[in-house]
Every structure is written in C-alpha cells, then in structure tokens.
Amino acid sequence: GIEEPSPLRRHRQGRGFFPWLWSALKDPVGWRATLYLFIRLPWGIFTFVITLLTVVLGWPVLGYVARGLSNADRAMVRGLLSPSSELEQRIEELESDRGVVFDTAAADLRRIERDLHDGAQARLVALAMDLGLAKEKLLEDPAA
C-alpha cells in the first residue's frame, strides 16, 4: 500500500478564493498530484495499447509485460503521490508551531500591557487622592 500524501497547507492569510489559490500554488504536494494527473492519461493509453498488442501478438509473455507495466505504474504513484520528505514535514510542523508561539507571545504581551496599564492607573489614582488630601489639609491648616 501507499501512504496518504501530506495534506494541502492552509495558510492563515485569509479566507476566500485568492488565498486558497495562492496556498494551492505554493504547495509542492499539489504540484506533484497535478503532474501525476497529466502523466496518467498518456500512460494509461500507452499501457492499454501495449497490453492489447501483447494479447494479440505475444500472449505467452503477457504476464511479464503486465507485471512490468504495473510495477512502472506503482513506481510512478509512489514517486509522485507518496508523502512529502521528512524535511518538508518538519518545515510544516515548524510553521504550525511558529503560529502557536506567535499567538502565545501576542497574548502574553497583551496581558503584560494590561497589567502595566492597570498598575500605573492605580498608582496615578492613589497619587491624585494623596494630592487631593494634601490640598484639603493645606486649605484647612496651612501650618501643618
């Protein structure tokens, strides 16, 4: 059996036809599948003609010819439709991890900014209250 090819990469650039088209054009698995489809029709015609000629002219060697053609077909399928190389799979894994790390870092940054803003705001309110109390005390008892 042949393993399932790696799935089409989905980029986060947006939804719609053009982002889908761009990610499909950048995907090496999609290009290999397209190449397989273009090769498959002439290959199917070629194998049909060779098999038909072998049946008519050289039926004793039909088994060997059919086995050879099926081995060539199997090699073409394995070469074009097999999973991506380990390097491509590692790159895809790192790209997805990068997105997770980026999202986590952005959330942490928002949390830190919120904490800094809330802390500074609380200190400013406390300072304003202290100044207000000092102003009242100054108006009531200037000597103190």
Side-chain angles (χ1 to χ4, degrees):
I2 297 171
E3 296 180 28
E4 183 177 338
S6 53
L8 181 68
R9 293 181 188 172
R10 301 274 184 225
H11 293 285
R12 296 179 161 194
Q13 294 155 349
R15 300 197 188 278
F17 176 72
F18 290 109
W20 171 83
L21 179 65
W22 181 247
S23 65
L25 289 175
K26 288 174 42 178
D27 185 37
V29 175
W31 282 108
R32 289 193 319 237
T34 304
L35 178 63
Y36 174 76
L37 290 175
F38 280 115
I39 291 174
R40 189 67 180 123
L41 179 64
W43 175 252
I45 294 170
F46 173 76
T47 55
F48 175 75
V49 169
I50 294 297
T51 305
L52 191 62
L53 287 175
T54 306
V55 166
V56 172
L57 301 176
W59 62 270
V61 293
L62 178 63
Y64 298 110
V65 170
R67 180 171 291 147
L69 291 173
S70 66
N71 286 339
D73 189 55
R74 187 177 305 121
M76 182 174 59
V77 168
R78 278 200 180 120
L80 292 174
L81 298 181
S82 65
S84 301
S85 69
E86 290 181 24
L87 181 60
E88 284 181 6
Q89 290 175 352
R90 181 69 178 144
I91 289 171
E92 181 178 332
E93 179 182 319
L94 288 174
E95 284 179 348
S96 68
D97 290 347
R98 180 182 61 188
V100 170
V101 168
F102 180 78
D103 292 342
T104 303
D108 288 344
L109 181 63
R110 283 191 302 272
R111 182 185 53 80
I112 290 170
E113 287 175 346
R114 186 179 58 246
D115 290 345
L116 286 174
H117 180 264
D118 291 346
Q121 189 174 17
R123 285 193 305 270
L124 286 173
V125 167
L127 180 62
M129 288 176 56
D130 289 343
L131 287 173
L133 289 173
K135 184 178 178 184
E136 284 182 21
K137 192 168 200 172
L138 180 66
L139 292 175
E140 291 175 3
D141 187 15

